[in-house]
Amino acid sequence: MAVAAETLYWDPYDPALAQDPYPIYARLREEAPLYHNETHDFYAVSRHADVQRGLADWRTYSSARGDILEIVQADVELPPGTLIFEDPPVHDIHRRLLARLFTPRRLAALEPQVRAFCRRALEPVTGAERFDLVEAVGAELPMRVIGMLLGIPESDQPTFRDRTDETLNTEGTGKIDHEEILSTEGFREYIDWRKDHPSDDLMTELMTAEFEDENGVTRTLTDEEVLTYCTVVAGAGNETTGRLIGWFGALMARHPEARRELAADPSLIPGAIEEVLRFEPTGPFTARYVTQDVELYGRTVPAGSAILFVQAAANRDPRRFDEPDRFDIHRVTQHLSFGVGAHYCLGAGLARLEGRVAAEELLQRFPGWQVDWEHAELAQTSTVRGWKTLPLVVGEA
């Protein structure tokens, strides 16, 4: 007697599914390329072509109500300057203000400082037989880099990192608190202080930069806009880059032959970081608001719907990648982990820089490592996927 196939159900809030979501992502691609979750009332697409096309089409799939499902569905008024929660032309005006921070020249100038932060983070564990990679580097390096860029005193930087972690944590409720994640209160006192004490940092630059706004008025940013910018940069820069470093550690333990190859030839590390980003993207999916009825796979996605573009599924679509479930540091690929088009991640270059430097410094110090998987723990969040703890046992494997 034939056994009926298990009903396909994907719930992005289910922590059990987050442990290994790739089998269900494969089913979504093949069985339900347009998926509708009635419980949480959202649509999702998972094939590479659909995700790539959809993320690039901001007119149909708008960011103006947010890029996180809970925020899109909350239908709240978003503060100006949120950038990732805006559409062109306002988005483009605001993006240009931040883009100057992430030019190749400025990133190249940052590398010595990033490396110094990384070495300082690794000093306490150098020579150790085991240590938690997330605690030592993943939670430390991005915090120091973003804190330096924003001009936050070193003593206060952990507070901002912990606040970001807490707003994205979904343990107990399953969903993030949209009011908490949009809060800008943490930066207010710094901005007030910076007005009287300008410095060579992003916060000062944002307060003084003149630009022409969407109404044709030449002005500087309001205090509220500066607050929002700083909050967005701090959140995005801390969370996802730390997860990337964690995934590098995990995948190098699972693929020791690749780790040995990278240790012998560090010039391969940039390509390996791209494969880590494809294979285990820190942001598995992106939400959008549907502005008009859309026909997909013979069905109508009605205007006003929320839709998820599942980059983690698209990055393993066999229509786009050969042997997509194989981790290959020599693969040359254009993954979708940083998005597409107008909303392509502004901090992608900085994340790549931090990931590369962390990989170089780790491999230089440690001949090899394994992971104590019994004590490793994935963070419970509906927006990013990565390790909360990742204990490394040092030694050749």
Side-chain angles (χ1 to χ4, degrees), residues 204-215:
T204 303
E205 200 165 320
L206 286 173
M207 286 190 289
T208 57
E210 288 194 343
F211 70 103
E212 185 177 310
D213 69 15
E214 62 274 21
N215 300 313

Side-chain angles (χ1 to χ4, degrees), residues 258-277:
R259 189 195 65 238
R260 286 190 282 268
E261 210 175 336
L262 295 179
D265 184 0
S267 71
L268 297 173
I269 289 176
I273 293 297
E274 296 305 308
E275 179 67 347
V276 172
L277 286 162

Side-chain angles (χ1 to χ4, degrees), residues 122-172:
L122 284 168
E123 274 175 18
V125 299
T126 299
E129 293 181 358
R130 62 181 290 147
F131 66 95
D132 184 345
L133 179 61
V134 174
E135 181 183 15
V137 186
E140 186 72 16
L141 177 61
M143 169 189 71
R144 298 301 179 196
V145 173
I146 289 296
M148 173 191 67
L149 290 175
L150 287 172
I152 300 169
E154 279 202 25
S155 58
D156 293 349
Q157 289 170 6
T159 303
F160 282 90
R161 175 202 59 205
D162 295 344
R163 182 180 290 130
T164 299
D165 288 348
E166 190 55 39
T167 60
L168 292 175
N169 180 33
T170 58
E171 205 159 348

Side-chain angles (χ1 to χ4, degrees), residues 92-375:
D92 297 346
I93 293 168
H94 289 157
R95 184 183 176 97
R96 279 195 292 271
L97 280 170
L98 269 185
R100 68 187 71 178
L101 177 75
F102 298 106
T103 63
R105 176 178 293 184
R106 289 190 77 160
L107 288 176
L110 275 177
E111 180 164 342
Q113 293 164 289
V114 172
R115 196 171 296 279
F117 284 134
C118 190
R119 287 175 175 171
R120 197 174 81 183
L122 284 168
E123 274 175 18
V125 299
T126 299
E129 293 181 358
R130 62 181 290 147
F131 66 95
D132 184 345
L133 179 61
V134 174
E135 181 183 15
V137 186
E140 186 72 16
L141 177 61
M143 169 189 71
R144 298 301 179 196
V145 173
I146 289 296
M148 173 191 67
L149 290 175
L150 287 172
I152 300 169
E154 279 202 25
S155 58
D156 293 349
Q157 289 170 6
T159 303
F160 282 90
R161 175 202 59 205
D162 295 344
R163 182 180 290 130
T164 299
D165 288 348
E166 190 55 39
T167 60
L168 292 175
N169 180 33
T170 58
E171 205 159 348
T173 64
K175 298 187 179 185
I176 63 166
D177 182 331
H178 67 269
E179 292 181 359
E180 187 68 32
I181 205 169
L182 293 171
S183 172
T184 59
E185 287 307 305
F187 284 100
R188 196 172 297 276
E189 61 185 276
Y190 290 109
I191 288 173
D192 290 341
W193 191 81
R194 271 281 173 258
K195 287 177 183 175
D196 300 321
H197 304 84
S199 180
D200 181 23
D201 57 38
L202 173 61
M203 203 178 291
T204 303
E205 200 165 320
L206 286 173
M207 286 190 289
T208 57
E210 288 194 343
F211 70 103
E212 185 177 310
D213 69 15
E214 62 274 21
N215 300 313
V217 177
T218 299
R219 63 179 180 90
T220 55
L221 291 170
T222 65
D223 286 359
E224 291 303 316
E225 287 171 327
V226 175
L227 274 170
T228 305
Y229 268 88
C230 291
T231 304
V232 168
V233 171
N238 267 315
E239 189 67 24
T240 52
T241 308
R243 305 292 186 209
L244 167 61
I245 293 168
W247 280 118
F248 176 80
L251 287 167
M252 289 301 101
R254 287 174 175 155
H255 301 276
E257 70 293 340
R259 189 195 65 238
R260 286 190 282 268
E261 210 175 336
L262 295 179
D265 184 0
S267 71
L268 297 173
I269 289 176
I273 293 297
E274 296 305 308
E275 179 67 347
V276 172
L277 286 162
R278 179 194 75 85
F279 201 75
E280 293 286 9
T282 57
F285 37 79
T286 300
R288 292 286 188 261
Y289 175 79
V290 182
T291 62
Q292 60 192 23
D293 287 2
V294 180
E295 295 297 319
L296 287 171
Y297 296 97
R299 296 167 62 193
T300 300
V301 179
S305 300
I307 190 168
L308 289 178
F309 294 98
V310 191
Q311 288 122 298
N315 281 348
R316 297 203 190 188
D317 188 345
R319 297 165 187 78
R320 177 65 178 77
F321 303 102
D322 294 330
E323 297 183 85
D325 292 317
R326 181 170 62 88
F327 180 74
D328 179 6
I329 61 171
H330 298 285
R331 189 190 299 271
V332 178
T333 179
Q334 288 186 305
H335 55 75
L336 297 175
S337 300
F338 286 129
V340 179
H343 288 93
Y344 182 81
C345 176
L346 195 56
L350 183 60
R352 287 180 166 116
L353 169 63
E354 292 183 57
R356 173 175 61 80
V357 168
E360 290 168 355
E361 296 296 327
L362 272 169
L363 291 167
Q364 189 177 331
R365 278 167 181 75
F366 303 106
W369 61 80
Q370 300 177 54
V371 170
D372 176 2
W373 295 112
E374 189 178 340
H375 295 99

